[in-house]
Amino acid sequence: MNFRRLLYKTALLVACATLFNACEKDDDNDPKVTVTKATGFYITNEGAFGNSNAELSFFNYSENSITNNLFKTVNNRPLGDVLQSMTIFGNKGYLVLNNSSKVEVVKLPSLKEAGVITGLVAPRYITTLPNGKIAVSEWNTQGSVSIIDTNTLSVVKSIPVGTGPEKMVVKGNYLLVANGGGFAVDSTISVIDLTTLTEVRKIKVGYNPKDIEVDNNGTVWVLSYGYVTYDMITWEMIHLKPSSLSSLSSDLTSVSATVKIADQTHPQYLECSADKKTLFYGGGYGFQGIFKFNPSTKTIDSTPVIDKAFYGFAINPVTNEIVGTEAPSFTLPGTVYRYTSAGVEIANYSTGIGPNNIVFVTVQE
Amino acid sequence: MRRLLFFISLLTTFTCLAGNKIDNDGAKPDSIINLKEVAIVSSSLHSLNTSTFQLTIPSKLIARSGGQSLQELLSSNTSLTVNQYGNGGLSTVSIRGAGSGHTAVLWNGVSLQSPMNGGVNFSLIPTILLDEVAISHGGQGSLYGSGSVGGTIQLNTLADVPAGLGVSLVLNSGSFSNYFSGLKVNYGTKKIAFSIRTFWQDAKNNFEFTNDAKYGHPTEKLQNGEFNQYGALASFLYKITNNQQFTIRAWGQYHNKNLPPLMTNEISKQNEKNSDLRISADWMGNHNQFQWTIQSAFLSNKNHFVDSITKTDAINLGKTLQNRAELTWFLHPEHRLVVQLLHLMEQGESDNYSNNITRHRISLMAGYRLAPENGRYSFAVSGREELVEGSLKQPTFSAGGSLRVIKHLDIQANISKSYRIPTLNDLYWAVWGNPNLKPEIGFNQDLGVHFLREKENSTIDFNLSAFNNDVSNWIIWIPEGSIWTPKNIRKVHARGFESKASLKYYFSKNWNIHLNASYQFTKTTQSGDKDAPAYNKQLIYIPKNKFTVNTSISYKEFELSYTYRYTGARFTDELNEEKALSGYTLNDLYLLSNFTLHSNKLSIKLSVNNLLDTKYQSVAWYPMPGRNYLFSIIWSYNNFK
């Protein structure tokens, strides 16, 4: 029993360390929306691989309290196996269950079950598209992005992309997909034309791009994890390629600038400040600290905002509060930490197992 | 293959060398000992076993179980905690609230625990290969070595078949396209005994179930659950003299199983194949006051796991060579001394190891038993010390005995220290393994009463035992920075009581009734650091309550049997905060009838399992089948003299 779990854990930890999704990637397409208040945030607890104990938690700012095990409490059934991410679209929440190969749809804010999207293989992240559609990145046998009609919850089209697609962002009429490498290696961004729903080109960036963001100038930034392998004799980590940040040219054909992060450390997540003038990177297994990056001067602050290793983190899109998660084990609950934008701890709360992802709920006032 | 041949030749050489020293003076065997006894207990260590709770599954039930696995046999005939990852899936056993690696499993004295992960999969042992199954509760590390922390399960395949020819054919057909066929052929003379057993099974395992884990609670058919297996076990026994015998057993099998998705999951593309080879040779004999066993065994398991979604393709190859020499010295009819020298060479090959691992373990055990012939009392004490790769591990001991307080009633008590040495995975998993791990230690005490009254037309057998077991240095894997590593940090306090009662009553020559009931209460909690979040919480998947009742009524050649089993709620999270996995009851029924014509016997059995179509889970979100049927025919022929 333990051995099987261990095998799964290895697969999980070595090859598929989870990624993170915090900012609403597409909100730069809709400048009319002015976010005025964040009422709280959801925490996706991935659970232990192969145990179907993923759960959803919610932190409420006005009550200053966290509620765990929300899905089971409301729907009286388990959510699934490895909750990778959550995306809010309209009055629905889309919960991506990686090892269950499905997306559970819930009504918001009640979290009552409202349907399920199947026909996917190892889904990772969702990005919302115009006309009531969403895009799901899937690791599949070959990496792909499936376009889903949210009215029928059926797959409209499945588009082959690179290996291990992760985060996506919409830029103009294009969907940009970070091909993170999955269980192997990749170093490209797929550019998908949203009219024809076909991949028009791949842009070569750094090794294993995991995350992608758009700054206040509309520039697309890609975080590449770098490339790591293990020595077959000593089993020491060999750092083959460094981690880096790259910006894409405005016509989305090439890389316009590259900033090396480090040869020997490998962050997984890229987030942006409320005004999108600052980017933050950090998080993932074994990466210490959350660091600031200024996209206009292309400089990295040498000292981290918070000098702590997080499993994942996010920035409050109104207050710039930093929220980091910690997954000390996959058998016991994790912890979520709140910090001021300057990195001073406000409070911490116990979550479900393996908290990996924060999704803020915002309202207009 | 070359390595395998090397092992076989090594094994034969070892046994032959030992065999050359035979002293053929033809002296009459000691009256206390006879070869029949030697063959059945297979290990003279058994005489030192003072467990307060022992259970032997009757050979008749094993023979009737036909195409079942040991998992099914144990689930329906004992109150052990048998956890199963879905129908036909990985199955583990916990005794007295200990972990799944805390049960020593011996096949004719040979340890079946994997050197790599310490486990035994009870779904992969077909009962057609076994003749005896004996379970003793409580840690007996000094007797049975590493692993016997919660208890010990002994499996025996008898080689000493009667003189003459015996043939037995088993055909099973069950729900969800489950087909099994098995054939046993025995042939014996005064000098030799030969037996071969073969089996083949194919199961679609596509049962229907309501999926309460999914949106809309759909009715589904289990997908990707099919499995098949085949194998053979041959034994050969040669009676060298009246008081010496040589036995060789060879067991090979192949098991191929697809692993179905969890109930929450849409698809699974996992498959697992296990290839096993187990060869054992022993020389047993007695002379004057001495009785000895010299045994050498080679075991190999190849596990091949493939998941085309996560692109996992892992092969793990574990091998062990076990050499055992045992000597019993009957100082006096009431006193005996037993010494055992055990050598194990364990090998592991895995992509998870940076290189192939070989580990040598040597242990020396000595024991003494005092047992007057009048049976009024008995006492046994034993100790074992094991050296792993030359370094001395913690010594273990056990002491126990029984005292007849009044007629039919014995009081039994034990105190023992048991251990489990870290597995190769724990020690040598690349980067993550921890080579500094110490053995897990169990310290247990128990107290029991045993009432037995046998009359001409009735038997009453009652057993009650209370136990306490403190396990420390329990190895668990915890994250440390960016890696996971095993550490000796968990402390567990397991305690409870177990009881069983059996009543046999013969109304007349034709009518009899047999009642069996058992109940056990197990509280097994994390101890040690009082501030740890899981302090004093029940371990996961260990039910506090287990209850079984079995009734069978026989009339001439007909038998009707009914079993009721209750397994209490089990926690699946360490903090016991989430809703526990519900307890469940299962009801099984079978009707059996025998027809005898000359030397032919035909036995027909119709079983209805899970009669009330109970929805249940043994392990969370692994679906289990509802009501299902099994039709079994056993034809046997013999011309035994």
Side-chain angles (χ1 to χ4, degrees), chain B residues 49-67:
Chain B
N49 186 337
T50 53
S51 166
T52 56
F53 207 80
Q54 299 192 48
L55 177 70
T56 304
I57 298 181
S59 300
K60 195 174 77 175
L61 277 182
I62 301 170
R64 279 181 189 170
S65 65

Side-chain angles (χ1 to χ4, degrees), chain A residues 208-242:
Chain A
N208 298 324
K210 302 285 189 189
D211 209 344
I212 186 163
E213 288 288 341
V214 183
D215 70 13
N216 65 319
N217 292 318
T219 305
V220 178
W221 286 93
V222 174
L223 172 71
S224 294
Y225 176 82
Y227 187 21
V228 170
T229 184
Y230 291 91
D231 184 296
M232 291 304 285
I233 312 277
T234 64
W235 279 89
E236 273 170 23
M237 199 188 254
I238 302 170
H239 307 272
L240 293 177
K241 299 287 173 190

Side-chain angles (χ1 to χ4, degrees), chain A residues 1 4 13 52 100 141 235 328, chain B residues 85 264-265 272 354 479 484:
Chain A
M1 176 162 92
R4 167 68 45 71
L13 294 171
S52 295
S100 293
T141 328
W235 279 89
Chain B
Y85 290 73
T264 56
N265 297 358
E272 189 176 34
S354 46
W484 286 68

Side-chain angles (χ1 to χ4, degrees), chain A residues 1 3-4 8 10 13 50 52 77-78 81 99-102 115 118 140-141 183 233 235 285-286 328 330-331, chain B residues 85 117 212-215 262 264-266 270 272 310-311 316 354 425 429-431 479 481-482 484 574-575 621:
Chain A
M1 176 162 92
F3 176 62
R4 167 68 45 71
Y8 287 151
T10 323
L13 294 171
S52 295
R77 66 180 176 96
D81 197 12
N99 200 40
S100 293
S101 288
K102 68 178 179 184
T118 60
N140 221 325
T141 328
F183 296 113
I233 312 277
W235 279 89
Y285 251 102
F330 284 83
T331 53
Chain B
Y85 290 73
N117 62 42
D212 288 328
K214 282 189 182 169
Y215 177 72
L262 288 170
T264 56
N265 297 358
E266 292 296 319
Q270 297 180 340
E272 189 176 34
T310 58
K311 299 197 171 64
N316 291 299
S354 46
N425 283 353
W429 195 285
V431 190
S482 62
W484 286 68
E574 285 191 15
L575 298 186
W621 311 117

Side-chain angles (χ1 to χ4, degrees), chain A residues 25-103:
Chain A
K25 299 303 161 67
D26 55 330
D27 56 9
D28 58 323
N29 295 311
D30 197 356
K32 284 162 286 178
V33 177
T34 45
V35 171
T36 55
K37 196 182 174 192
T39 56
F41 53 83
Y42 288 105
I43 304 148
T44 57
N45 306 291
E46 64 182 50
F49 195 88
N51 280 264
S52 295
N53 56 0
E55 255 301 348
L56 194 64
S57 304
F58 185 72
F59 176 79
N60 187 321
Y61 277 111
S62 62
E63 290 166 14
N64 190 24
S65 68
I66 193 167
T67 316
N68 293 319
N69 291 318
L70 284 166
F71 189 90
K72 203 171 194 175
T73 307
V74 173
N75 299 302
N76 199 28
R77 66 180 176 96
L79 175 54
D81 197 12
V82 185
L83 177 57
Q84 186 65 40
S85 64
M86 175 185 185
T87 297
I88 296 171
F89 187 35
N91 57 357
K92 301 262 171 66
Y94 295 82
L95 300 157
V96 184
L97 292 140
N98 176 255
N99 200 40
S100 293
S101 288
K102 68 178 179 184
V103 175

Side-chain angles (χ1 to χ4, degrees), chain A residues 169 285 298 309:
Chain A
V169 72
Y285 251 102
K298 300 186 181 60

Side-chain angles (χ1 to χ4, degrees), chain B residues 238-481:
Chain B
Y238 174 62
K239 288 169 189 152
I240 305 162
T241 64
N242 276 341
N243 52 357
Q244 284 182 47
Q245 66 182 36
F246 172 77
T247 312
I248 184 159
R249 294 178 180 85
W251 168 6
Q253 75 177 55
Y254 174 78
H255 190 273
N256 178 3
K257 183 171 188 344
N258 286 339
L259 307 176
L262 288 170
M263 286 167 76
T264 56
N265 297 358
E266 292 296 319
I267 48 166
S268 165
K269 292 186 178 173
Q270 297 180 340
N271 173 275
E272 189 176 34
K273 295 179 177 74
N274 275 287
S275 311
D276 282 286
L277 179 67
R278 298 166 177 131
I279 301 168
S280 157
D282 62 65
W283 171 50
M284 290 185 193
N286 60 70
H287 176 62
N288 295 339
Q289 294 161 297
F290 295 98
Q291 175 183 307
W292 65 87
T293 304
I294 290 180
Q295 183 178 33
S296 189
F298 169 75
L299 292 85
S300 144
N301 168 266
K302 182 181 162 190
N303 173 282
H304 186 185
F305 174 80
V306 175
D307 183 349
S308 62
I309 294 175
T310 58
K311 299 197 171 64
T312 308
D313 188 330
I315 293 179
N316 291 299
L317 184 61
K319 294 175 193 165
T320 46
L321 178 67
Q322 303 184 24
N323 299 310
R324 178 165 70 101
E326 237 167 64
L327 180 72
T328 307
W329 180 14
F330 295 86
L331 300 157
H332 178 269
E334 294 184 2
H335 305 272
R336 69 176 76 175
L337 272 174
V338 183
V339 288
Q340 185 203 61
L341 184 65
L342 181 68
H343 165 249
L344 278 92
M345 182 170 83
E346 299 174 315
Q347 287 198 322
E349 282 177 41
S350 167
D351 293 339
N352 300 311
Y353 302 163
S354 46
N355 50 305
N356 296 342
I357 310 292
T358 301
R359 170 167 80 173
H360 285 273
R361 298 164 48 188
I362 292 174
S363 64
L364 180 67
M365 172 267 165
Y368 162 77
R369 180 182 181 226
L370 166 70
E373 276 170 345
N374 63 19
R376 287 284 300 278
Y377 63 92
S378 71
F379 174 75
V381 60
S382 59
R384 180 185 293 269
E385 176 69 298
E386 176 159 346
L387 280 122
V388 181
E389 285 296 303
S391 86
L392 218 55
K393 297 293 161 179
Q394 217 141 3
T396 53
F397 71 91
S398 84
S402 71
L403 176 69
R404 181 149 305 158
V405 281
I406 49 169
K407 203 177 172 190
H408 307 301
L409 186 72
D410 290 346
I411 288 187
Q412 303 161 316
N414 275 292
I415 179 164
S416 72
K417 190 172 152 191
S418 55
Y419 70 115
R420 184 180 81 102
I421 66 161
T423 64
L424 298 183
N425 283 353
D426 291 335
L427 294 166
Y428 303 114
W429 195 285
V431 190
W432 298 2
N434 179 358
N436 301 318
L437 287 173
K438 291 176 288 199
E440 297 176 340
I441 299 293
F443 188 59
N444 56 155
Q445 310 88 39
D446 55 16
L447 183 68
V449 288
H450 184 206
F451 177 85
L452 177 67
R453 200 182 70 176
E454 288 173 300
K455 280 187 171 176
E456 204 173 292
N457 62 347
S458 70
T459 304
I460 300 174
D461 190 343
F462 174 76
N463 226 185
L464 174 70
S465 173
F467 63 90
N468 185 63
N469 194 359
D470 283 288
V471 187
S472 54
N473 286 347
W474 187 314
I475 296 167
I476 55 164
W477 285 68
I478 54 162
E480 192 177 70

